[in-house]
Amino acid sequence: MAGKEAPAVTPWEVNGEIDYDGLMERFGTEPITPELLERVRQHTGRLHYMLRRGVFYSHRDLDTVLDHYEGGGRFVLYTGRGPSGPVHLGHLVPWTFTRHLQEAFGSQLIFQFTDDERMLIRDGIDEEAAGHWVLENALDVMALGFDPEKTEFIVNVRHAAKLYPLALKIARDITYSTVRTVFGFGDDPSLGMMFFPTMQAAPCFLASERDGEPVPCLVPAEIEQDTYWRITRDVARKLGYPKPAQVHGRMLPGLTGDAKTSSSQPLTAIYTTDVPELVERKIEEADTGDHPARCPMYQYRNLLLTENDDETHEFYVDCLEGNIDCRECKARLAEAVNRFLGKHQRRRRLIRGSVEKMLE
Ligand code: TRP
C-alpha cells in the first residue's frame, strides 16, 4: 500500500487493517501449508476448525516439533496473558486452539500471567488489581476445558523463583541495544521493561531445564507477540535449549470494525462476563461490513463461535445473496454468543475453588 504507513504491530499495540501475508513476510514466519496440515491430521484425526479455516495460518518450527513428537518425544505448550482487565472473546481464540492441542497431543501446558509486565508498563496497574485479574482471567482459561493435571499456571511475581534462574541466563546474552531495537523502545520505558522480556522468554526453556533433555516448546499466540520469541530463539542455541516454535492465529475484529478487539475500548469488545442484554446491545450497535470477510458478525462465527463448517458457510452465502439482512444476522449472532457465554459463565462459577488452588 504505497504512501500508507505500515500498521503498528507490537506486543502492546495493534491498529489498522491487518494484512496477514504481509505480517508473515515482515516477521519472517512460514505459512501452515496443506502438507503440514496433513501431518497434523495424522495425529489428531479430523483437523480442528481453526486449522481447516486458516484461523491459525502461520508458524515457525511446527515441523520440527512434529519430528520430535513422531520420534517418541514430548513437547510442551506455552501461552499466557497480561492480567490487566477482563477477558473478551478475542482472547479465547488462541486459548481455544491451545486447549485442542493439549487434548490432541496430550501435552503439558504452561500458562503464564505477566502481572509484572502489567505493573511495569506506563499507566500500569497495582499489585492488588493484578491479583484480582489473575484469578478472573484464570477462570476464563480453565472454563475452556484445559486438563488441570496438565496445566501449570505461572504468575510471574508470585512464582518468580521458577523463572528467575533462566531469566538471568537469557538476560546475560541479550544486550540493551537489541531490546531497544526489537521492541522499538524509545526513552520512556522503565528499567523493568528492559528486563521483562526475559521473564516471558524463560518458560520456553523450563521443561528442558526440568527434564535435563531437550523438550520442544510450542507457543500458540497472535503474531504480535513474535518479538519475544525472536530474541528467545536467538539465545536458545547458545544456552543449549530447543528454539521455541510458534503457531500464529488471526485476530478477532472489534465490533466497530477495528483490526483487533481492544480491552481499552469497552464497547468494541464482548467480555466473557457480559450479561445477555449487554451482549445484545453491543451487537445491535456494532458496525457491519460490506462483505462477510470484512464483517465482524461473520468473523465472530468463523473465527470462534461456529465449529460447524456448513453453518458458517450458510451465513456466508445467505449474506452475499441477500437472504438474510444485517438485523436478523445480528440477532442470531447475539443468540449464539449468549448461548456460548451462558455455558462459559456457568463453568466459571463451578471451578472457582479449584482454580484458586491452581494459582497458589
Ligand atoms: N505478554 C502477553 C500479553 O500481554 C502475555 C504472555 C505471557 C503471553 N506469556 C505469553 C502471550 C506467551 C502469548 C504467549 O498478553
Side-chain angles (χ1 to χ4, degrees), residues 11 78-82 112 114 117-118 196 200 219-221 225 228-229:
Y78 162 44
T79 192
R81 156 94 182 137
Q112 176 177 60
T114 52
E117 173 187 25
R118 295 297 135 181
F196 167 73
Q200 181 155 330
V219 185
Q225 296 289 312
Y228 291 105
W229 324 128

Side-chain angles (χ1 to χ4, degrees), residues 46 51 101 134 188 200 234 238 270 333 348:
R46 187 167 192 233
L51 286 176
L101 292 175
V134 166
D188 49 328
Q200 181 155 330
D234 282 348
K238 196 159 168 200
I270 294 170
L333 179 68
R348 275 177 117 262

Side-chain angles (χ1 to χ4, degrees), residues 309-319 332:
D309 292 343
D310 294 339
E311 203 182 319
T312 315
H313 186 67
E314 223 168 278
F315 272 101
Y316 189 90
V317 173
D318 279 347
C319 169
R332 288 174 62 185

